[in-house]
Amino acid sequence: MLTIKNLHAEVEGKKILKGINLEINKGEMHAIMGPNGSGKSSLASVLAGRDNYTVTEGEVWFNGKNLLDMSPEDRAREGVFLAFQYPVEIPGVSNINFLKTAVNEVRNYKGLPPMEAKEFLKLTKEKQQLVDFNTNLMNRSLNEGFSGGEKKRNEIFQLAMLNPSLAILDETDSGLDIDALRIVSNGVNKLRDEEKSFVVITHYQRLLEYIVPDFVHVLYNGRIIKTGTKELALELEEKGYDWLKETEHEKESV
Amino acid sequence: MINSNEIIDDIANKEYEFGFTTDIEMDIAPPGLNEDIIRFISAKKNEPEWLLEWRLKGFQAFKKLKFPKWQHFELPELDLQALSYYAAPKKKKQLNSLDEVDPELLATFEKLGIPLNEQKALTGVAVDAVFDSVSVATTFKGKLKEMGVIFCSFGEAVQEYPELVKKYLGTVVPHSDNIFAALNSAVFSDGSFVYIPKGVRCPMELSTYFRINAQNTGQFERTLIVADDNSYVSYLEGCTAPMRDENQLHAAVVEIVALDHAEVKYSTVQNWYPGDKDGKGGIYNFVTKRGICKGQSSKISWTQVETGSAITWKYPSVILQGDHSEGEFYSVAVVRNKQIADTGTKIHHIGKGTRSRIISKGISAGHGDNSYRGLVSVGPRAENARNFTQCDSLLIGNQCGSHTFPYIESRNKTAMIEHEATTSKIGEDQIFYLNARGIDSEKAVALIVNGYVKEVLNQLPMEFAVEAQKLLSITLEGSVG
């Protein structure tokens, strides 16, 4: 479904990604871990199409289409969803109006008519319950004055509403207390199905106790230096990243 | 991939839609401003002596007054002698029905989306159309007359209801108020007149549509609205102009009088030609608008959506004289390219328990420069006066400007005056966030702007709100949609 081949990217002339290779199949849950500054969030931004990143080399294929040729909105319409690490606030735009616009833009792209108001409200209600999203937040301005946890839950709620085929969660656990973490993880687990793939970017192993990954990749210095299963996350928790960094540097010096 | 800056540039440079001219035989006075031309206008309009005297007093005041210097922009040199002060479609005789209106004119208004044909006017809006300086047609006259509502061109009112005009003309905006109002008093050509009798709730929106067509003419309409005791009226004003290379002056005056328990809502959607992207051409919109809540518990509310003109310079104001009277000002002003807006309001609290509310939303894009200037004054008699002011600025791109000049003068200890202000910028990260949800940049800007101006657009009558929303999306594509 998603194939990343030798992806290199830079921001303001600084090389950030230095040859990422990754293959994600339908229904899989991939975790990407790594120390600060390793390029985790940059990878998410490049996949979503943030325009201050320049891809200098490599390819990304999504369901047979060249993802890098597409505008950010087309990537979203094709089914790529990025749950932001820092969701922005947009005063004056109500959450529900925003969602309706987003849902209908995706439908329009697929040649479907706008969703009827009744149907939209029904869907909203259903997904709200699924991810335990507070109704009061629906009519408020998008993310404005939301707590950190509410913002993250809004991301997961949008994920539920838009039902993408690939969801990238960029440090969704950062800034969450243990209860919020559990609610967000429950939401994600309920949304898991055979059609949907996830890339969960995280700094800590903690999130992976709730969301159990099929694969764990360690990103360091712009490259994936190790891939394993969920046990790898535990090992990292125990040993930290240093042992991997050391082996990496040994390799480089050889 | 199109980046958001390009979109913003694109939006900021969009063409003006209503820039066509209409080929019609015109009666145009030779350029120049002097007593003779004032007498000529007055004679053309078959005016009574007192009105000519009033015009001449206006001219005397005009000669003594100077151009203001306090505004936040450089006043372009205005050669008032080079303008023609009277232009009218030639066929103008006394028109009894729409059938007598020049078909070219009707076609023009059709193009603008203003149906003058009463059968077609299903919207229930009575329209007075002013082409260059002259009112060409007023719809639904008969129906309004049944209720005693007078809605006609100013010229007609002078002929038919001279006592009413004489009683109220210049009582809110005196002939010597400011240089542009004085000029208007001297040379005003036409405009609309509204009188709502006691206890009548006007059953439909009254609307005037102004269109400037002729070249090198100034447009000086005068509108007078009188709402008698316990009456209500909602009045709309729309404006367009063709594209010209030279700037044209529009110096109108609007006076509103609200008597006991009367309520007047005045809404403007102003879309004069803003000039090209370098600021060439475009209308100078220097208008004096003022209402007086003369009666107790009366109310005047101004709502304006200003998207056009090279320079918009006006402060629709309310004098709260009656006890417990109420004034409101809701404004959206958009500038892009090299447009300038210096607008806001003045609210004078004179009576006891008077209240006012000011909501101003400025949007600046391109190289536009937007200023809010407002005065809230509370007089010594105005016990328990209340004011709330909110004044927001939204910036798109990084070449534009936004300024706020709020003045507060209180001479009563019981007054309560609140002022809130915010400045925000449509950030690339906001646009990217919406992109990442499948919303393209143009729509994203529209969504953000729409959300931003919602509070003001909600004040407009339904059809107008839709119009205004469309206009904003044409103007900005997404910031006020």
Side-chain angles (χ1 to χ4, degrees):
Chain A
M1 175 170 82
L2 183 78
T3 306
I4 303 175
K5 282 187 205 162
N6 191 33
L7 183 66
H8 288 69
E10 53 183 53
V11 62
E12 286 158 10
K14 195 173 166 233
K15 291 187 171 71
I16 305 283
L17 302 181
K18 301 170 183 169
I20 303 265
N21 290 290
L22 189 61
E23 180 82 41
I24 294 173
N25 296 308
K26 250 192 197 174
E28 289 175 355
M29 174 76 70
H30 289 245
I32 295 182
M33 302 184 70
N36 284 333
S38 57
K40 302 188 300 286
S41 288
S42 297
L43 177 60
S45 292
V46 169
L47 293 178
R50 203 185 262 279
D51 69 6
N52 50 344
Y53 286 86
T54 313
V55 173
T56 50
E57 214 182 317
E59 298 165 26
V60 180
W61 295 89
F62 179 65
N63 288 332
K65 291 183 184 163
N66 184 347
L67 193 73
L68 299 177
D69 271 357
M70 292 182 213
S71 66
E73 57 271 24
D74 280 347
R75 297 180 196 199
R77 293 162 182 168
E78 286 282 346
V80 177
F81 180 94
L82 170 65
F84 284 74
Q85 182 178 4
Y86 303 109
V88 296
E89 301 191 359
I90 306 188
V93 177
S94 75
N95 216 354
I96 192 146
N97 189 20
F98 153 71
L99 267 174
K100 207 162 108 190
T101 309
V103 166
N104 285 331
E105 286 295 306
V106 174
R107 284 175 67 91
N108 183 39
Y109 184 76
K110 292 178 179 159
L112 296 168
M115 196 179 264
E116 301 230 359
K118 210 172 138 190
E119 198 186 337
F120 177 76
L121 285 177
K122 202 179 129 203
L123 182 74
T124 309
K125 220 171 188 177
E126 185 190 308
K127 300 297 182 189
Q128 231 171 272
Q129 280 165 0
L130 188 72
V131 299
D132 198 7
F133 187 71
N134 191 338
T135 317
N136 293 337
L137 299 176
M138 287 301 295
N139 291 315
R140 295 237 318 251
S141 287
L142 181 54
N143 292 326
E144 193 186 26
F146 285 25
S147 71
E150 285 169 340
K151 283 181 185 169
K152 296 296 174 77
R153 276 151 79 169
N154 199 10
E155 295 294 296
I156 303 304
F157 172 55
Q158 292 171 30
L159 165 60
M161 288 295 291
L162 293 167
N163 196 29
S165 46
L166 173 68
I168 304 162
L169 311 186
D170 187 7
E171 305 217 9
T172 297
D173 53 336
S174 70
L176 292 187
D177 61 30
I178 200 80
D179 293 326
L181 183 66
R182 195 161 45 225
I183 292 167
V184 164
S185 313
N186 277 342
V188 172
N189 285 331
K190 284 184 199 157
L191 294 170
R192 270 179 97 157
D193 61 37
E194 284 165 13
E195 296 299 313
K196 210 181 273 114
S197 314
F198 284 85
V199 174
V200 178
I201 293 169
T202 181
H203 198 71
Y204 301 107
Q205 188 276 139
R206 194 176 64 163
L207 177 68
L208 305 180
E209 284 172 18
Y210 297 95
I211 301 173
V212 181
D214 300 309
F215 301 95
V216 174
H217 311 276
V218 178
L219 194 62
Y220 177 65
N221 196 17
R223 264 191 292 258
I224 290 175
I225 55 168
K226 198 168 175 66
T227 292
T229 54
K230 61 179 191 225
E231 284 74 24
L232 176 58
L234 289 171
E235 204 176 342
L236 285 170
E237 177 78 1
E238 204 177 304
K239 300 186 187 168
Y241 291 107
D242 286 347
W243 63 282
L244 279 174
K245 286 186 202 170
E246 277 158 26
T247 37
E248 182 64 11
H249 287 303
E250 274 163 31
K251 260 194 256 165
E252 263 178 17
S253 55
V254 171
Chain B
M1 200 197 305
I2 308 166
N3 72 36
S4 47
N5 282 330
E6 282 170 37
I7 294 274
I8 287 169
D9 284 349
D10 199 39
I11 288 160
N13 292 328
K14 225 162 230 177
E15 292 281 336
Y16 182 67
E17 226 195 347
F18 301 106
F20 56 88
T21 56
T22 306
D23 211 3
I24 275 187
E25 258 198 290
M26 301 290 285
D27 232 354
I28 297 183
L33 180 59
N34 49 51
E35 274 199 32
D36 289 345
I37 198 79
I38 294 166
R39 287 178 194 281
F40 169 81
I41 294 169
S42 192
K44 265 270 174 203
K45 303 176 76 64
N46 193 27
E47 285 174 354
E49 191 59 28
W50 63 264
L51 191 50
L52 174 61
E53 289 303 317
W54 195 77
R55 285 180 181 274
L56 293 172
K57 273 199 316 198
F59 185 55
Q60 293 309 323
F62 166 78
K63 286 196 285 192
K64 284 187 210 127
L65 288 161
K66 295 208 162 37
F67 289 113
K69 290 207 164 71
W70 43 261
Q71 66 278 11
H72 189 76
F73 59 88
E74 200 169 330
L75 187 64
E77 201 135 319
L78 295 168
D79 185 358
L80 295 172
Q81 291 301 339
L83 289 183
S84 165
Y85 287 89
Y86 185 79
K90 231 178 195 160
K91 281 192 182 157
K92 219 259 174 180
K93 271 272 159 244
Q94 191 62 44
L95 297 176
N96 293 316
S97 84
L98 282 171
D99 302 342
E100 295 170 41
V101 175
D102 190 324
E104 276 273 349
L105 266 183
L106 287 179
T108 300
F109 283 102
E110 202 73 48
K111 234 192 257 185
L112 296 167
I114 306 144
L116 286 185
N117 199 320
E118 286 189 36
Q119 281 81 22
K120 279 194 218 154
L122 296 168
T123 43
V125 178
V127 181
D128 182 27
V130 177
F131 193 77
D132 284 319
S133 300
V134 173
S135 169
V136 291
T138 308
T139 61
F140 286 111
K141 242 182 191 170
K143 194 174 171 193
L144 291 166
K145 212 169 181 176
E146 279 169 33
M147 306 194 68
V149 172
I150 301 169
F151 176 42
C152 61
S153 72
F154 202 94
E156 201 179 328
V158 169
Q159 304 301 324
E160 305 283 324
Y161 315 99
E163 291 312 309
L164 274 176
V165 176
K166 199 174 172 182
K167 186 170 174 191
Y168 291 106
L169 177 69
T171 58
V172 194
V173 180
H175 62 81
S176 56
D177 190 80
N178 65 70
I179 189 164
F180 297 106
L183 177 63
N184 176 290
S185 302
V187 301
F188 75 89
S189 32
D190 212 335
S192 303
F193 176 79
V194 176
Y195 173 77
I196 315 291
K198 282 188 178 135
V200 170
R201 210 183 149 80
C202 188
M204 59 181 82
E205 312 279 347
L206 302 183
S207 167
T208 299
Y209 211 92
F210 295 109
R211 166 101 180 144
I212 295 178
N213 201 59
Q215 208 154 2
N216 291 328
T217 55
Q219 199 174 27
F220 307 95
E221 316 85 12
R222 204 161 175 111
T223 299
L224 176 57
I225 299 173
V226 180
D228 215 324
D229 298 351
N230 296 300
S231 67
Y232 167 85
V233 64
S234 166
Y235 188 91
L236 320 172
E237 173 196 275
C239 327
T240 60
M243 296 194 223
R244 301 281 189 203
D245 281 351
E246 280 161 41
N247 301 81
Q248 282 176 292
L249 176 64
H250 175 250
V253 169
V254 177
E255 296 181 277
I256 300 176
V257 179
L259 301 177
D260 283 356
H261 299 278
E263 181 178 349
V264 179
K265 262 182 93 104
Y266 193 106
S267 313
T268 304
V269 174
Q270 185 264 111
N271 186 26
W272 298 120
Y273 176 52
D276 66 13
K277 61 178 174 32
D278 301 316
K280 201 171 171 214
I283 304 292
Y284 295 146
N285 187 31
F286 300 165
V287 174
T288 307
K289 288 179 166 176
R290 195 175 302 150
I292 182 163
C293 285
K294 227 177 157 64
Q296 57 167 310
S297 302
S298 53
K299 181 174 175 183
I300 292 175
S301 141
W302 298 100
T303 303
Q304 59 173 23
V305 176
E306 306 284 330
T307 63
S309 297
I311 304 175
T312 295
W313 189 14
K314 60 174 195 166
Y315 312 95
S317 305
V318 187
I319 300 165
L320 298 170
Q321 189 184 60
D323 290 347
H324 306 287
S325 59
E326 203 179 332
E328 290 178 336
F329 175 74
Y330 295 94
S331 169
V332 171
V334 185
V335 292
R336 60 193 181 116
N337 293 333
K338 298 231 164 111
Q339 276 177 280
I340 294 166
D342 191 323
T343 184
T345 185
K346 286 184 278 182
I347 310 267
H348 301 274
H349 291 259
I350 297 169
K352 279 188 295 222
T354 46
R355 281 167 297 158
S356 64
R357 186 178 170 81
I358 299 169
I359 309 287
S360 162
K361 306 265 179 180
I363 300 169
S364 315
H367 290 82
D369 198 79
N370 212 331
S371 301
Y372 169 81
R373 186 185 303 278
L375 168 69
V376 175
S377 86
V378 178
R381 271 204 332 106
E383 293 290 315
N384 297 312
R386 295 274 176 279
N387 161 265
F388 174 78
T389 300
Q390 187 177 334
C391 174
D392 297 332
S393 312
L394 184 69
L395 308 174
I396 304 175
N398 48 18
Q399 306 288 320
C400 54
S402 171
H403 318 270
T404 307
F405 307 95
Y407 298 86
I408 294 171
E409 293 167 4
S410 179
R411 286 187 294 273
N412 190 307
K413 273 190 262 177
T414 60
M416 205 188 223
I417 299 166
E418 289 173 73
H419 183 96
E420 287 180 10
T422 65
T423 302
S424 50
K425 189 171 174 213
I426 297 188
E428 280 175 37
D429 51 345
Q430 286 177 325
I431 292 177
F432 179 67
Y433 187 84
L434 296 173
N435 289 158
R437 297 296 177 258
I439 300 167
D440 65 39
S441 299
E442 225 169 83
K443 263 222 169 87
V445 173
L447 197 66
I448 296 170
V449 171
N450 273 328
Y452 174 73
V453 301
K454 201 163 48 189
E455 207 177 339
V456 171
L457 294 198
N458 283 346
Q459 298 297 325
L460 290 173
M462 184 76 128
E463 306 85 353
F464 237 44
V466 175
E467 273 307 299
Q469 207 171 69
K470 268 193 235 153
L471 183 60
L472 283 174
S473 27
I474 293 167
T475 311
L476 280 173
E477 208 61 70
S479 340
V480 179

